[in-house]
Amino acid sequence: MDESEIQQKRRDNEEEATAGRAKILGMPYLDTRSFENEINLVPDLLEVEQMHRDFIIPLQRGGGEEHYQFMVTSQTPRSVIEKMSQEYTDEGEKADFFLISGSAYKVFMLRYDPPKVIEYDDIKIAGEGDSETIASVSQTLNMVSTDKVFDFLIDQADKLGASDIHIENMRGEIRIRMRVDGILHPVANIDKDRYRIFMGELSSRANVSMASNKPQSGHMQKDIHRDGASHLLNIRVETIPTMYGQDAVLRLFNFDESLLNLDLLGLSDEERAEINEVISHPRGLVLMVGPTGSGKSTTLYSMLNALNTTDRKIITLEDPIEYGITGISQIPIHTNDGGSFAEGLRSVLRLDPDVVMVGEIRDADTAKTAIQASITGHLVLSSFHANSTSAAFSRMIDLIGVNPIFSSSIRLVVAQRLVRKLSDSKKERPATEAEAKYIREALADVPSEKLEGVNLDNIMLYDPMPTENDPFGYSGRTVIMEQLIVSESIQAFIRGDVADADATVIEAAAKKNGLLTLEQKGLLATLRGETTLEEVSRVI
């Protein structure tokens, strides 16, 4: 029996008991279930305070014969019924009273006196040294009702466009911080009892234990409704025991399948053509490299979406699954419970996929299995931790040794970072002498056709100008991407044909083939007014 059936059974029993009570009291019984949510209310006949106090509700105002009707419960004082009946009689009118159940009374009272919706102030991100905003947000979070505070925090984080919520135990309070556009900002310091509410919600929703003395991972979803629209928020939960309690990080993934699109990554026509050419091949290995939070997963998913047609079998191996995509078979790999990407990859290759995405290459076994798969008729996409495209080769060789098969399988390596975009309020200024010298030296070997629209003789830069809507002068982030197409000359380095071929040597060779490094791409974005020199220095 499900919950609705249980509730219906309880109501049946209550109505039956009320009918028996009416017989004992000598009153007419009224079963309101057929009309309690539709019948028109009778306003202004009784004060709401009296309806609460005396458990009495008007049913019908007097008509031509001045005949009034009221609903009462077994809790209504008999003296109230007698007094009202006498008053109406004295005025030449008539009042009838019907006995209803307690549940019916509650339904009507929710219509007569609905609970007031409390609107709380939106959370604001504090600037450096702005203790007043932190105090104000802390007060708001401490005021929000217990049953709503967790959802309120997540809803506000989504509204701010935050990627993470950090809940951290301090000695006497809980610190909450949010990462917005890649920067971690303090938001509030709240009471310890709020922490228990947050952890209780995480425990039930994300299936993590409050009492565990080990790091845990969980997952939950939440529908966000705002301004007449809604979207699904995927939330990855990580907890770890600390000195004062369990710290938690909630990573928010605002999932919208339409946003997983290569056209939205800001690629040049040449870069997009290179990616299209590589991923259209039936076999090969494509690696995305960069630190955590650099947007590797989004770019990989965008590639998958571009490949997602009815004539291709696509399988992903992920830990955990961050986005669910229609038409793709996605398999979770629980590495915390002994699962491995290599084992999962060997299993799914038996299913004859055209494209396989491996969430991350972390060990030699996974690397060798992915390479083997990429030369036996599969297109393999994966992520790998390295600082740049050229460094990815050095790291892979350190992992698996010099491997001739790797040199023939790897087709494209993409390194990327996310930098904050300047708001429209940005302020233009001439570069200092030191800045101009650095920029000219860094862009000295960039082909002239890729410097179109850039004036290196009179270099102008931009500074952020904070506004009320964009308190830091930035709004959103943009991708800085370095793409290395593996040519014959690059393969020679990977095969070991050239002695002592480190990342610097490989990068120099790739530049001759047209590679623009992350630094160069970042500086070009700076000169176009998309971001600042400080932001490029911080991220790249």
Side-chain angles (χ1 to χ4, degrees), residues 296-314:
K296 300 191 300 293
S297 295
T298 300
T299 301
L300 278 175
Y301 277 112
S302 298
M303 289 182 186
L304 286 179
N305 240 0
L307 291 164
N308 190 9
T309 56
T310 55
D311 60 340
R312 285 192 181 96
K313 172 78 171 182
I314 302 177

Side-chain angles (χ1 to χ4, degrees), residues 446-459:
V446 175
S448 57
E449 65 269 15
K450 294 187 178 181
L451 292 174
E452 189 177 344
V454 174
N455 184 355
L456 292 179
D457 297 323
N458 181 27
I459 296 178

Side-chain angles (χ1 to χ4, degrees), residues 494-529:
I494 305 170
R495 284 195 302 265
D497 297 351
V498 181
D500 301 323
D502 60 14
T504 305
V505 175
I506 295 174
E507 184 176 284
K511 279 185 174 182
K512 291 179 181 178
N513 293 337
L515 172 77
L516 292 184
T517 66
L518 284 168
E519 180 185 31
Q520 291 170 335
K521 295 290 288 292
L523 292 177
L524 290 174
T526 300
L527 296 177
R528 290 194 299 267

